[in-house]
């Protein structure tokens, strides 16, 4: 599957779901969603044969080394508990919550499920993670 075909499929599923997005490039879209505990920024990317949905950032990496160590430990524990999603760090020091899956056999319901997973975990964990880095 070419990047262009994957991107077109992702964009079509987002439209089918009525998910409002702003195209940043041919393979990247930006959006946001509201949950019980606030608004969350969302980035959707077509990366080769995969779709990556990211809440970016959940929190920023603290400058304090002790707080960073506490954050790392908590993120590792959460990654072991969560299904389908994971926390990671980007090159800017942002903590990212993401879901990644192959595009080839993806349908709109898989996209909806991925968005649901992100919204549940973002809403559930952002407050705790903010407290750890404060």
């Amino acid at each position: 599957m070419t990047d262009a075909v994957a991107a077109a499929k992702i964009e079509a599923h987002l439209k089918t779901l009525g998910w409002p997005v702003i195209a940043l490039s041919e393979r990247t879209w930006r959006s946001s969603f509201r949950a019980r505990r606030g608004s969350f920024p969302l980035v959707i990317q077509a990366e080769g044969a995969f779709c990556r949905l990211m809440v970016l950032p959940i929190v920023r990496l603290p400058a304090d080394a002790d707080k960073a160590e506490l954050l790392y430990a908590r993120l590792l524990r959460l990654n072991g508990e969560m299904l389908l999603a994971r926390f990671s760090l980007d090159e800017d020091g942002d903590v990212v919550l993401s879901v990644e899956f192959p595009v080839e056999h993806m349908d709109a319901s898989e996209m909806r499920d991925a968005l649901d997973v992100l919204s549940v975990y973002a809403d559930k964990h952002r407050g705790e993670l903010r407290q750890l880095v404060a």
Side-chain angles (χ1 to χ4, degrees):
M1 174 175 289
T2 68
D3 286 353
V5 171
K9 191 171 185 178
I10 291 166
E11 192 164 19
H13 289 323
L14 290 167
K15 286 180 182 175
T16 297
L17 295 170
W19 199 271
V21 293
I22 297 168
L24 301 178
S25 74
E26 292 178 357
R27 297 183 320 231
T28 305
W29 302 267
R30 182 179 6 180
S31 189
S32 63
F33 60 89
R34 290 201 53 77
R36 288 180 295 149
R37 295 181 180 103
S39 293
F40 296 88
L42 179 70
V43 175
I44 302 115
Q45 289 181 326
E47 294 183 356
F50 287 85
C51 176
R52 187 169 186 207
L53 297 104
M54 300 170 283
V55 177
L56 173 66
I58 287 285
V59 294
R60 298 199 188 281
L61 191 60
D64 180 285
D66 292 333
K67 288 182 180 182
E69 285 297 321
L70 290 173
L71 178 64
Y72 296 150
R74 183 62 181 143
L75 294 175
L76 284 172
R77 281 193 302 277
L78 289 172
N79 279 347
E81 296 170 7
M82 295 187 308
L83 299 175
L84 303 175
R86 70 172 186 241
F87 285 106
S88 60
L89 298 174
D90 73 5
E91 62 277 356
D92 296 325
D94 293 328
V95 176
V96 178
L97 175 63
S98 63
V99 173
E100 191 172 307
F101 51 93
V103 175
E104 187 173 2
H105 301 292
M106 174 185 70
D107 59 25
S109 69
E110 285 180 286
M111 177 76 71
R112 183 186 59 243
D113 291 347
L115 291 164
D116 288 348
V117 163
L118 283 177
S119 66
V120 167
Y121 287 138
D123 200 44
K124 182 176 181 179
H125 297 298
R126 181 172 66 178
E128 173 193 1
L129 296 176
R130 281 183 169 175
Q131 288 179 352
L132 282 174
V133 302

